Amino acid sequence: MVLSLRKKHHRQQPANMTTIIAILFFAASMANVLLMVSSFPLFQPLANKKSIIANNIREPQSRIFQKQVFVSSLMASNAADEEICTDLTADQLDFTMGYLNKHHSDLLAKFPLAFTELGREMKRKNGLSGGSFMVESAQMVHLTREYMSIDVTVNERGKDKTLRRVTIDLDSDLHPSASQREYSVVKEKTPRCSENAVDDVMRRLIRLCHMVKQPEVTGKLIQLGIQIGGKSTGRIEENLYLNNVPHNRLVRKYFYDMACRATLDAVILCSEGKLSNRMQITCLFPELNTAMDAYRVGTLLEMARALAITLAEQNLRVRVCVQGSMGVGIFTAIPKQLSGVATLLQRMDWQSGEGEENEGMVGTYVNFGGVGKEHVVNAGVDRRGNKIEQDDVFILICPQSMVGQDTSIYGPLSEMVDAAGDRPVILLNPDLTDKISSGGQQSVRGRSERIAFQNSFKSIYHFQCTYISGTSYFPIFGALGKFGPTEPWIAYHRRDRVNNGGEIYIPIVAGEDRPESEVVMKAVEN
């Protein structure tokens, strides 16, 4: 009885004419909707998705300047999503002016004398009677990305004190009346930082500090920028414990990531014509310092692999190069630092096998070679008619000269750079200084050309631990860093927290040029 009731419940009733017409009308409407929606790639059938993806993937090009359009547009879109600060906020402005007025009033008093007509007036009136015109105090009253306003209290003999307001452009040059014995000339302007107003203002103030010979204030301005909301320019992570070797994997990755970001930024700037194609990376924390027994060749190879993969992921063809043997006869050899590196580089795990993360990368986008013009691959066609893709970026691992005859790296390296043309050539931890040689090959003859060639490579990333002269490599005194092609040079002092609370690196001197050791030590003493 139950079964018969179920059959009766599921029996289909005959449909009348009205129902059939309604169903046909609904089906026609849905067909029109699906036809319109199918024009969008997201809703196309699964069978067509492969063709859609293939049409959207860029075909590999032979010129880096064409390839980098994709990378530049990608970074531009990401930057557009971020909030761009056009000027200092009210809180940032109050904190900055309060700090400078309280702790660096002597610095503010020098700015009007170096960059405005007030300095000429002071010299003229003190020419006959010294001390008749003096700047008693100075207070900053306004600060923007373009200028600063300072109220100067002037004490003139025989007159009441007067308050004068002067406006100084942050890109000012020295006033014509300023003496170069009292001030330093810095003609090169600081590059603009459009993303962050704090970093932009601080770097311009740093330039002015160097011009009035107050470099010890520059490190404090870097700290101030970090504290009030800069993009952490010059900040080094705490508790790296670089005195402990072997280093933690996270510490190594920290340096790899920084070097990769700086390299990608440099290649983009090179493609835009804003940076030379001759670049160098110097990373000398203990495991990469060949002068120390803590040197680890695996760390060097890991950094080279990280750099190559970062560029290859941007559709660039990278050739990683290691110099071969040099010398004459039985005196042929390879630098000890590079012994076995070429073999290990090709045998290390690149995750390029089938089904792995970087499948097919080695052999197509990452290749290996030596140092010399014969290792520069240009676009063309081989004997079988197959297309040859040219290399876009060259990474040279630790190029260096050796002691002996015909052991200078200058010849093959300069030929390779010339053959590369306008493509980026990146030297990783190079040593292009002259070594002892016979026949005067690395002595006075041709030294000026070799020095000029060495200086033609611009630093895009630099990190180097510093030590007290005359001591061993322990403890670490501080560090010298430049963390991007457009970032400033910063010298740091390592300090231990109380009660074994860790260690920190404090910026003490900053600028657009590499700081001298005497300036750094003077800043530490102050």
Side-chain angles (χ1 to χ4, degrees):
M1 188 66 183
V2 175
L3 292 176
S4 63
L5 287 175
R6 287 181 180 177
K7 289 182 179 180
K8 184 178 181 180
H9 179 74
H10 286 86
R11 186 181 303 171
Q12 295 182 356
Q13 300 294 329
N16 55 25
M17 185 60 65
T18 305
T19 305
I20 294 174
I21 295 174
I23 292 174
L24 292 176
F25 180 80
F26 177 75
S29 302
M30 290 302 298
N32 292 331
V33 172
L34 291 175
L35 182 62
M36 291 187 294
V37 172
S38 62
S39 61
F40 295 94
L42 181 63
F43 296 97
Q44 288 186 3
L46 183 62
N48 295 332
K49 282 191 176 180
K50 291 185 178 179
S51 61
I52 297 169
I53 296 174
N55 292 332
N56 285 295
I57 291 180
R58 300 175 60 256
E59 184 69 21
Q61 302 293 324
S62 60
R63 299 293 293 176
I64 183 174
F65 298 99
Q66 297 172 351
K67 291 184 175 185
Q68 283 308 115
V69 173
F70 171 75
V71 183
S72 300
S73 61
L74 178 63
M75 296 190 67
S77 62
N78 292 338
D81 294 337
E82 298 177 359
E83 182 180 357
I84 298 179
C85 182
T86 58
D87 219 327
L88 299 179
T89 64
D91 292 339
Q92 292 170 344
L93 180 62
D94 291 341
F95 193 95
T96 301
M97 291 194 303
Y99 171 78
L100 293 175
N101 289 334
K102 181 178 180 180
H103 299 283
H104 300 291
S105 58
D106 55 338
L107 171 69
L108 298 179
K110 288 189 175 184
F111 285 161
L113 301 179
F115 304 110
T116 69
E117 187 66 25
L118 193 64
R120 185 198 298 272
E121 182 180 356
M122 180 176 177
K123 284 187 176 183
R124 185 178 67 253
K125 294 186 176 180
N126 287 339
L128 298 178
S129 176
S132 60
F133 187 96
M134 300 296 294
V135 173
E136 187 173 286
S137 63
Q139 293 283 312
M140 180 181 290
V141 294
H142 193 56
L143 178 64
T144 69
R145 299 183 73 166
E146 305 298 333
Y147 67 91
M148 58 180 167
S149 298
I150 299 177
D151 282 349
V152 183
T153 302
V154 176
N155 190 357
E156 192 171 356
R157 184 179 300 166
K159 298 181 180 179
D160 295 334
K161 295 180 182 179
T162 58
L163 185 65
R164 304 188 186 184
R165 176 165 296 183
V166 296
T167 300
I168 302 173
D169 192 289
L170 295 188
D171 287 327
S172 294
D173 292 321
L174 289 176
H175 193 270
S177 64
S179 172
Q180 295 188 12
R181 291 179 299 177
E182 301 177 15
Y183 307 105
S184 299
V185 178
V186 181
K187 293 184 178 180
E188 186 176 354
K189 306 296 184 183
T190 303
R192 284 285 181 180
C193 175
S194 59
E195 291 82 6
N196 194 284
V198 174
D199 295 331
D200 203 25
V201 170
M202 295 305 160
R203 291 183 67 174
R204 275 157 178 70
L205 289 176
I206 286 173
R207 174 178 176 269
L208 300 183
C209 289
H210 281 285
M211 297 177 75
V212 297
K213 295 186 177 182
Q214 293 269 342
E216 60 274 8
V217 183
T218 57
K220 298 175 182 178
L221 291 178
I222 292 292
Q223 298 180 51
L224 176 62
I226 295 174
Q227 184 174 354
I228 66 174
K231 65 173 186 177
S232 297
T233 296
R235 182 178 181 271
I236 296 181
E237 289 294 332
E238 299 180 5
N239 303 327
L240 293 176
Y241 297 114
L242 296 179
N243 275 320
N244 298 338
V245 290
H247 301 317
N248 188 288
R249 290 184 180 180
L250 296 178
V251 172
R252 295 174 190 152
K253 188 177 185 302
Y254 171 70
F255 288 107
Y256 300 161
D257 291 344
M258 281 201 300
C260 289
R261 287 194 298 268
T263 302
L264 184 57
D265 291 343
V267 171
I268 293 174
L269 290 175
C270 179
S271 70
E272 296 172 350
K274 300 178 181 179
L275 187 68
S276 169
N277 69 314
R278 301 184 182 187
M279 315 170 189
Q280 77 173 35
I281 297 173
T282 303
C283 193
L284 293 177
F285 57 91
E287 282 191 354
L288 286 180
N289 191 342
T290 57
M292 302 178 64
D293 57 2
Y295 172 69
R296 178 177 178 267
V297 68
T299 304
L300 177 66
L301 294 173
E302 288 171 359
M303 173 163 282
R305 178 178 61 185
L307 294 172
I309 291 177
T310 298
L311 296 175
E313 288 175 342
Q314 304 300 328
N315 199 26
L316 298 175
R317 300 182 184 273
V318 185
R319 185 165 296 274
V320 185
C321 305
V322 181
Q323 69 186 75
S325 299
M326 297 187 299
V328 177
I330 62 172
F331 299 104
T332 301
I334 192 171
K336 181 175 64 175
Q337 177 184 357
L338 298 175
S339 179
V341 169
T343 302
L344 292 173
L345 187 66
Q346 300 182 43
R347 292 182 178 179
M348 68 187 304
D349 186 11
W350 286 81
Q351 293 288 305
S352 184
E354 184 178 355
E356 294 182 316
E357 181 180 1
N358 303 318
E359 179 179 352
M361 181 176 290
V362 174
T364 54
Y365 286 94
V366 176
N367 293 282
F368 308 102
V371 176
K373 61 181 180 181
E374 64 275 11
H375 296 282
V376 177
V377 177
N378 297 315
V381 180
D382 61 12
R383 292 179 298 178
R384 298 182 178 180
N386 298 322
K387 183 179 180 181
I388 299 176
E389 296 287 353
Q390 77 171 15
D391 299 323
D392 296 317
V393 183
F394 301 89
I395 299 176
L396 281 62
I397 299 178
C398 303
Q400 56 191 286
S401 300
M402 296 194 309
V403 176
Q405 186 176 1
D406 292 339
T407 56
S408 175
I409 194 64
Y410 171 71
L413 180 57
S414 59
E415 292 176 355
M416 184 176 186
V417 172
D418 292 338
D422 53 9
R423 289 170 283 179
V425 178
I426 305 172
L427 309 184
L428 174 59
N429 286 353
D431 181 11
L432 303 184
T433 57
D434 291 336
K435 304 294 191 300
I436 300 174
S437 61
S438 59
Q441 292 181 342
Q442 298 185 58
S443 62
V444 178
R445 185 177 59 190
R447 177 167 293 174
S448 59
E449 290 81 2
R450 293 193 297 272
I451 293 176
F453 178 73
Q454 177 181 355
N455 294 335
S456 67
F457 289 88
K458 304 303 180 183
S459 181
I460 60 173
Y461 175 82
H462 188 104
F463 181 87
Q464 180 179 6
C465 293
T466 56
Y467 308 88
I468 298 295
S469 177
T471 66
S472 62
Y473 293 103
F474 181 87
I476 295 175
F477 174 77
L480 178 65
K482 176 183 171 68
F483 302 137
T486 59
E487 296 295 314
W489 287 87
I490 304 176
Y492 301 85
H493 185 207
R494 189 189 69 86
R495 297 178 184 175
D496 294 317
R497 294 187 183 274
V498 297
N499 300 325
N500 295 324
E503 66 175 16
I504 57 175
Y505 285 82
I506 302 296
I508 50 178
V509 175
E512 301 304 319
D513 297 322
R514 180 170 178 160
E516 300 292 338
S517 58
E518 295 81 6
V519 176
V520 174
M521 293 305 300
K522 182 180 179 181
V524 172
E525 293 172 357
N526 292 338

